[in-house]
Amino acid sequence: MSSEHVQTIDLTEYNGRIFFLADPHGQYSVLCNLILSVTKHDEDVIIFATGNLFDYGPEPMELMLAINSGKFEGRSVKFFSAAGAGEAMMKKLLPANPDRRKFYPSTFENERWCSLGGIWHKNVNRFYLEEQIAQLYQTQLPIILRIELKGKIRIAVCPSDYAAIRKRFVDTYTALHAFNAANINSYHSQFIYGMHHAITPSYVDGVNFLILGRNPANSIRKAHGLPLTNLPVLVGNSLHINTGSIFISQTDESPVYAPGISCASPPALTLVELELKAHPTLISHQLEKKSTGLFSLRSSPIDLTSRDNIVEVVQK
C-alpha cells in the first residue's frame, strides 16, 4: 500500500477480467457462487470492492480468509477493497502496541461496533483475528483506490462518496497521501457515509469512472425518477453499484436486510465487469434472491446511453 489513506493499482499491462463489487456484507457463499458462475478456473480475475466486507453477514471470516489467501472456493482471485464504515471500526480492534492493548471486549467502541453488525468478531479467537486483520491492512483498505488501466483509463473506488478536497482528483489523491490522522478526520465521514454524488449529478475531474457503494441503487433510482431495476446507475461519472443486499439473516418473524435496504427491493449481489475493448463496456452480473429462496443470475451490458441508467449533469 502506498499510504494509509490511498492506494494505486497499476493494471496497464493486465489482460485478465476486472470486476467491481459493493458491500458484500459477509455473504461469502453467495459471492463465490457468483464468481464461479461468471468466470473460468484458468482466467486471471481481479475484484475491486467499496468496503463493508464483513459486518452483518453469515460468513465474515470465510470472506476475510479468502481475500487474504486469494482463493474463493478454489478459484484464484486478486481482491482489493477500500475501507468502509465496518472496516474503520474493525481497524480499532488492532492494538497500537500489541504488548499494551488499547481496547478490550467491554469498551464502548467495541460494543458500538457489535451493535452495528460487528458482533461476529466475538466468536473468533482474538489473537487469530488480529493476525488476519493486520494481514488485510498490509495489502489494502485505503480511503481511495486508484486503478490505472491500459488506454489511459483511470477509475477510482470509494466506500460511499468522494470528498473533493482539491478540484482535480489527482490533487485530492496527493493531499490524502500526505494527510496524517488528524487531517483526515475532517473528511473521513464524507467518504464512508456521504451521498452527495448519488443525489447531485457532477463530474469528478481526472477519472473516467468513480465507483461507489453503500447507497442502494433503487434508492438512488427512485430519487431521480428512474426505473427500479436494482441495476447499477451512473450519476454524472459516478457509478453506484447496488449494495450487497442479500438476506443477512432469517428469523421466524421477518427477514433482516442490510442497512438501507427496503424489503420492497429484491435482495441481490452484483459484480460489475469492465471489458476493455475499442469501446469499454460495463456488464452487470447480478444474483437475485427470489421469494422461493432460489437465486437467479442476470447478466447484461449496462446501457450508458439509456436514460433508464444514467443521470446526466445539467450544464448551467
Side-chain angles (χ1 to χ4, degrees):
M1 181 183 288
S2 55
S3 84
E4 183 180 0
H5 309 308
V6 295
Q7 182 178 9
T8 294
I9 307 295
D10 185 352
L11 297 183
T12 52
E13 303 295 327
Y14 181 73
N15 294 308
R17 298 180 68 181
I18 302 167
F19 297 89
F20 299 95
L21 169 71
D23 311 75
H25 286 298
Q27 296 290 342
Y28 172 70
S29 294
V30 179
L31 178 57
C32 286
N33 191 330
L34 183 51
I35 292 171
L36 269 59
S37 296
V38 301
T39 67
K40 299 176 181 178
H41 75 277
D42 57 348
E43 290 181 313
D44 289 331
V45 175
I46 189 166
I47 294 176
F48 296 101
T50 62
N52 291 321
L53 303 172
F54 312 112
D55 291 352
Y56 295 97
E59 302 160 298
M61 280 307 297
E62 288 85 347
L63 179 56
M64 188 181 298
L65 293 172
I67 295 172
N68 282 337
S69 67
K71 296 292 183 181
F72 288 72
E73 293 295 316
R75 188 66 50 86
S76 294
V77 177
K78 296 183 180 69
F79 194 105
F80 296 93
S81 181
E87 289 71 50
M89 289 185 284
M90 183 179 71
K91 187 178 182 181
K92 294 180 179 179
L93 194 68
L94 291 176
N97 183 341
D99 296 324
R100 300 181 64 184
R101 295 178 178 278
K102 184 177 180 181
F103 298 112
Y104 291 86
S106 60
T107 62
F108 169 78
E109 286 173 303
N110 196 314
E111 294 305 321
R112 182 173 182 271
W113 181 30
C114 288
S115 70
L116 296 173
I119 196 168
W120 59 269
H121 81 271
K122 290 199 171 185
N123 296 320
V124 184
N125 177 276
R126 179 64 179 266
F127 295 97
Y128 178 66
L129 179 59
E130 288 178 4
E131 177 184 290
Q132 294 300 319
I133 295 174
Q135 183 178 339
L136 200 65
Y137 270 97
Q138 287 176 1
T139 61
Q140 55 195 292
L141 299 180
I143 294 173
I144 292 181
L145 272 169
R146 181 175 73 177
I147 305 151
E148 301 289 346
L149 300 161
K150 60 181 64 177
K152 297 183 179 180
I153 294 174
R154 174 181 291 160
I155 296 177
V157 178
C158 294
S160 177
D161 203 358
Y162 168 77
I165 298 170
R166 303 287 186 268
K167 183 176 181 181
R168 297 189 307 157
F169 171 81
V170 66
D171 296 326
T172 292
Y173 184 96
T174 301
L176 285 170
H177 187 281
F179 279 179
N180 58 29
N183 297 140
I184 203 67
N185 285 340
S186 302
Y187 305 98
H188 199 201
S189 62
Q190 174 63 26
F191 283 102
I192 63 176
Y193 297 115
M195 58 184 303
H196 174 78
H197 284 83
I199 302 301
T200 306
S202 59
Y203 288 115
V204 178
D205 183 20
V207 295
N208 296 87
F209 291 109
L210 173 67
I211 308 293
L212 299 173
R214 186 174 181 271
N215 299 304
N218 271 0
S219 296
I220 299 170
R221 286 177 167 276
K222 184 176 181 180
H224 294 287
L226 302 182
L228 304 183
T229 60
N230 246 357
L231 292 174
V233 57
L234 189 67
V235 182
N237 65 339
S238 299
L239 184 71
H240 299 265
I241 302 177
N242 202 29
T243 186
S245 56
I246 295 292
F247 267 100
I248 287 170
S249 64
Q250 176 74 55
T251 66
D252 293 336
E253 297 179 357
S254 63
V256 179
Y257 288 78
I261 299 297
S262 166
C263 291
S265 300
L269 192 68
T270 308
L271 280 174
V272 173
E273 182 175 6
L274 173 64
E275 285 192 350
L276 293 174
K277 299 179 178 179
H279 299 286
T281 303
L282 294 173
I283 302 172
S284 171
H285 303 285
Q286 191 170 81
L287 266 184
E288 187 173 277
K289 191 169 187 179
K290 302 298 185 181
S291 58
T292 59
L294 300 176
F295 290 96
S296 174
L297 176 63
R298 174 174 53 164
S299 293
S300 59
I302 303 173
D303 186 354
L304 296 182
T305 65
S306 171
R307 293 188 180 275
D308 287 348
N309 299 319
I310 183 171
V311 181
E312 297 179 345
V313 176
V314 177
Q315 301 293 340
K316 295 182 180 180

